[in-house]
Amino acid sequence: GWTDGHDAIADRICAALSSGDVLPVGDTPGGAAAGIQQAVDRVLLAKAHHGRRITGWADEMIGSAAMWWFLSVCDELFIPSQGQIGSIGARGGHLDVSEAMAKAGEKLTYFTWPNEGKIAFAPELPLGEIGKARGSRDVAIAGEAFCAAVCLGPIGLRHKLDRDAVIALGADMLTGANAVGVLADGVATFEEVTAYALSLAELGPVKASKDSARVARASGKGNMRTRAEEQDE
C-alpha cells in the first residue's frame, strides 16, 4: 500500500505464513528504507519456521523499497506483460531554500552545539561539504544493504545477481519479458500465478534448513510450467 509502514506489512505477512504459503501482490513505486531490514528479517524467520513458500506478482509496478521486499522474501516473482519492476538503489535529498528566503528579505541565524555539523542539512542554508559527505555516506549505506539483500535473496541467487550486475542495472525499471531471468521468473497473469501458487501449496510445508531464510531453492529454470513440473516430480 501507499501508506503502509514496513512493520505493518511484516505483521500481515507473518500472520499469513502461520496459515500457509503466501502470494503478495505489489503495486507501489517504493518508499522509505527505515525499518525495512528488521521487517524483512521477521518475515524470513517466520517463513523458515513454518516452512512456507512465497510467490510474488507485480500489479503492475514494484519499485525501489518494494523491490527490496519482494526480492528478499519471494521464492519466485512473476510480472504481467506490461508490468515494471526494478529501481534498485537509494536516494536522499536536500532542498536549499536560502535564495528564496533572501529574495523575501529573510535570513535565519542558527546557534549550534557541538558544532555546525548539527545544521549540515538545514534547508535554510546552502548544502556544505559536511552535508554532502554525510548525505552520500548515508545513501551508500542504504544502497549497499539493498544490493546485498537482492543478491542474497532466492531470486538473486537463482539468476546469479551480484553487486556488479545490480550496479549495471542503473536503478532501471524492467518491463515484462525484459525482467525475466534478471529480476523475475516469468510473465504471467494474476490468475495463472494464483493457480501456480496453490499447486505449490498443495505439496505441503518445505523442509526448513539452517539458512533457508536467506538461500533460494537450487532448482528451476525461470519458467512457470517447468518449475511446476519439477515440483510434481
Side-chain angles (χ1 to χ4, degrees):
W2 287 83
T3 59
D4 274 348
H6 296 304
D7 53 349
I9 295 172
D11 287 343
R12 290 202 299 277
I13 297 179
C14 287
L17 287 168
S18 68
S19 300
D21 289 356
V22 175
L23 198 169
V25 175
D27 182 17
T28 170
I36 193 170
Q37 288 173 291
Q38 297 90 332
V40 164
D41 285 345
R42 284 179 55 204
V43 169
L44 291 175
L45 287 172
K47 178 185 175 186
H49 175 73
H50 296 292
R52 307 299 190 189
R53 304 171 189 82
I54 299 181
T55 304
W57 190 67
D59 179 32
E60 293 262 331
M61 176 187 290
I62 299 175
S64 199
M67 195 85 269
W68 191 331
W69 263 109
F70 276 77
L71 292 182
S72 295
V73 306
C74 290
D75 296 291
E76 296 175 83
L77 176 61
F78 296 94
I79 183 173
S81 60
Q82 296 302 313
Q84 289 191 316
I85 60 176
S87 190
I88 299 172
R91 70 181 187 186
H94 173 267
L95 178 63
D96 181 355
V97 299
S98 60
E99 290 189 13
M101 291 177 60
K103 289 180 181 179
E106 299 175 347
K107 183 176 181 180
L108 177 64
T109 300
Y110 275 109
F111 305 96
T112 64
W113 186 94
N115 52 45
E116 292 187 354
K118 182 65 177 176
I119 53 173
F121 295 116
E124 299 88 357
L125 302 174
L127 187 64
E129 293 304 314
I130 294 176
K132 291 178 183 178
R134 291 181 180 180
S136 297
R137 174 200 64 194
D138 295 345
V139 166
I141 289 172
E144 293 289 351
F146 190 173
C147 180
V150 166
C151 294
L152 292 175
I155 296 167
L157 288 173
R158 184 162 58 253
H159 298 319
K160 296 180 172 57
L161 283 176
D162 58 19
R163 186 175 182 274
D164 290 340
V166 171
I167 291 174
L169 286 172
D172 196 7
M173 295 287 285
L174 304 183
T175 303
N178 291 326
V180 178
V182 184
L183 302 176
D185 295 289
V187 173
T189 65
F190 177 64
E191 291 74 19
E192 289 171 334
V193 176
T194 300
Y196 174 61
L198 287 171
S199 72
L200 295 180
E202 291 174 355
L203 300 176
V206 296
K207 183 179 180 181
S209 62
K210 186 185 343 183
D211 56 355
S212 61
R214 291 289 182 186
V215 180
R217 297 195 306 270
S219 63
K221 299 178 181 179
N223 178 279
M224 188 151 69
R225 179 176 296 174
T226 300
R227 292 182 65 78
E229 291 170 352
E230 289 173 350
Q231 290 290 342
D232 290 338
E233 291 173 0

